[in-house]
Amino acid sequence: MDTMKGRVLIVDDDTALAEMLGIVLKSEGYEPSVVTRGDEAIGAFRETKPDLVLLDLLLPGRDGIDVCKEIRAE
């Protein structure tokens, strides 16, 4: 039985790390999405409706603290 456990949004500008996290999460049955810029994170959050967000703090475009505040407000 191959069912997804949930959706995870990875927001990290370190593409190698984000890709590795995505591979590990997918192998564990999760559905990962990756965004590399803070200013793209809210749109991706609204589009993918993830169960979990892995959010880096130091991001280009918009910092992770601001992104976190906006996600929590929703």
Side-chain angles (χ1 to χ4, degrees):
M1 184 160 102
D2 187 30
T3 59
M4 287 290 176
K5 294 180 179 179
R7 290 182 295 275
V8 179
L9 176 60
I10 302 164
V11 185
D12 199 320
D13 60 332
D14 182 338
T15 53
L17 176 62
E19 185 177 324
M20 185 215 42
L21 286 169
I23 290 167
V24 171
L25 287 166
K26 192 166 194 166
S27 74
E28 291 296 322
Y30 293 93
E31 185 181 333
S33 300
V34 176
V35 176
T36 58
R37 295 183 52 87
D39 52 6
E40 298 171 351
I42 297 300
F45 175 78
R46 291 177 180 150
E47 184 180 316
T48 63
K49 297 177 176 49
D51 300 295
L52 176 71
V53 178
L54 297 177
L55 179 62
D56 188 12
L57 295 181
L58 301 174
L59 295 164
R62 187 170 184 199
D63 86 27
I65 298 291
D66 289 342
V67 171
C68 183
K69 286 177 184 175
E70 188 166 344
I71 287 173
R72 292 190 74 186
E74 293 191 18

